[in-house]
Amino acid sequence: MTQIIVLSVKGIIRDRVLHGVGIVSLFLLFIPSLSSLSMRQVAELSITLSLSFISFLLVVLSIFLGGTQLWKDIERRYTFSVLSLPVSRTSYLLGKYAAVACFIATVCGILLCASLAVIMISSTTHAPDRPVAWDAIVLCVLFDAMKALLLVAFAFLFSTVSTSLFLPIFGTIAIYFAGNASQQVYEYITAGGGQQFPEIMRLTTKILYYVLPNLSAFDLKTYAIYSVPLDLQGLATTSAYFVVYTAIVLLCASMIFSRKEMN
């Protein structure tokens, strides 16, 4: 599995994904100038732009890296050569996932350091009304990385059941939008306003709420932007939720991939 991880990471770098991330990340250099346009909340705007940019970039990486890694090897028949060696399909799948996870973690660390520098410049030139919650900013990026890794797991799951690139890419995008909206839809359906809907619709909504991932739980931007005290118990629960949910998705992907016929 270690060799699979190393070779997969080298393949991602060879595809110049890191170069693309570096070019796109130049946007961070303009954040202090853009933030200065806000007369009263320069530091808050700088934090908002930095965290939103990191979150967006991690989601894009998770969708396209997760959706193409396994499918590309199967399409180019690289998988047949690897699986002819004494390597189980589960080890191969987990190795590919771990490679994407390592790459996303590296990109996340680089972007976090750059964002901290940008926010420090903005908060130094324009003193914020409240102290900058540096711990909340770090945790916000960390939980965004968890959300991205959960999306990668879904992309791998879709890759094991599809023979085209359509399902891994657009299926993961659908999971992203549904997972971000599930909490709001559930609260609306279960509240007083949801009584107007048929019982079958409310029951289906509740089932989907527990089946789909609750990605809104990983969004800590409000805590970081407005220096709101963090709920440590909630963070621990969300972390456990990430570990269990990702393990279940990867287990399903492994079971399907182990029984997949590849001709």
Side-chain angles (χ1 to χ4, degrees):
M1 187 184 294
T2 303
Q3 293 296 326
I4 295 174
I5 295 174
V6 173
L7 293 175
S8 299
V9 171
K10 289 182 178 179
I12 295 174
I13 297 175
R14 194 184 307 115
D15 290 339
R16 301 185 182 277
V17 178
L18 194 59
H19 295 74
V21 172
I23 294 174
V24 175
S25 299
L26 293 176
F27 169 77
L28 292 172
L29 299 177
F30 299 97
I31 288 181
S33 300
L34 294 175
S35 301
S36 62
L37 299 177
S38 175
M39 301 301 295
R40 296 182 178 180
Q41 295 183 325
V42 177
E44 288 81 356
L45 182 58
S46 177
I47 296 173
T48 302
L49 292 176
S50 300
L51 295 181
S52 298
F53 174 76
I54 294 177
S55 179
F56 171 76
L57 190 57
L58 289 179
V59 170
V60 171
L61 285 176
S62 64
I63 292 174
F64 287 97
L65 283 181
T68 59
Q69 278 299 297
L70 194 61
W71 175 86
K72 182 175 61 177
D73 283 3
I74 297 176
E75 183 70 15
R76 296 178 180 178
R77 297 186 179 275
Y78 294 160
T79 307
F80 299 95
S81 302
V82 176
L83 295 181
S84 63
L85 302 173
V87 178
S88 66
R89 293 192 179 189
T90 298
S91 298
Y92 175 78
L93 178 71
L94 295 180
K96 300 291 289 186
Y97 176 82
V100 177
C102 290
F103 183 81
I104 289 180
T106 302
V107 171
C108 184
I110 296 174
L111 293 178
L112 175 60
C113 293
S115 297
L116 292 177
V118 167
I119 296 170
M120 185 175 295
I121 293 173
S122 298
S123 60
T124 302
T125 55
H126 299 81
D129 296 333
R130 58 180 65 86
V132 178
W134 300 104
D135 56 341
I137 294 174
V138 174
L139 287 175
C140 181
V141 176
L142 176 62
F143 276 76
D144 275 337
M146 291 184 184
K147 179 171 64 177
L149 294 181
L150 182 54
L151 289 175
V152 172
F154 271 102
F156 271 66
L157 175 62
F158 293 138
S159 297
T160 59
V161 299
S162 175
T163 57
S164 68
L165 191 60
F166 180 85
L167 181 59
I169 296 294
F170 291 97
T172 308
I173 294 175
I175 289 293
Y176 171 73
F177 285 110
N180 279 302
S182 61
Q183 183 68 42
Q184 291 79 5
V185 174
Y186 176 79
E187 291 177 355
Y188 177 76
I189 289 293
T190 55
Q195 302 301 322
Q196 58 182 326
F197 296 101
E199 180 64 26
I200 184 66
M201 183 176 180
R202 286 185 288 161
L203 179 61
T204 304
T205 302
K206 292 179 181 180
I207 294 174
L208 290 177
Y209 170 74
Y210 289 106
V211 172
L212 293 174
N214 186 1
L215 299 181
S216 60
F218 297 91
D219 189 1
L220 303 180
K221 293 184 181 63
T222 302
Y223 297 90
I225 296 171
Y226 299 105
S227 302
V228 179
L230 293 166
D231 181 9
L232 298 181
Q233 184 177 358
L235 296 179
T237 303
T238 305
S239 301
Y241 175 80
F242 161 74
V243 173
V244 174
Y245 205 114
T246 304
I248 293 174
V249 174
L250 289 177
L251 177 61
C252 294
S254 176
M255 294 174 61
I256 296 173
F257 189 62
S258 297
R259 293 164 175 78
K260 184 181 180 67
E261 293 185 4
M262 292 182 289
N263 299 322

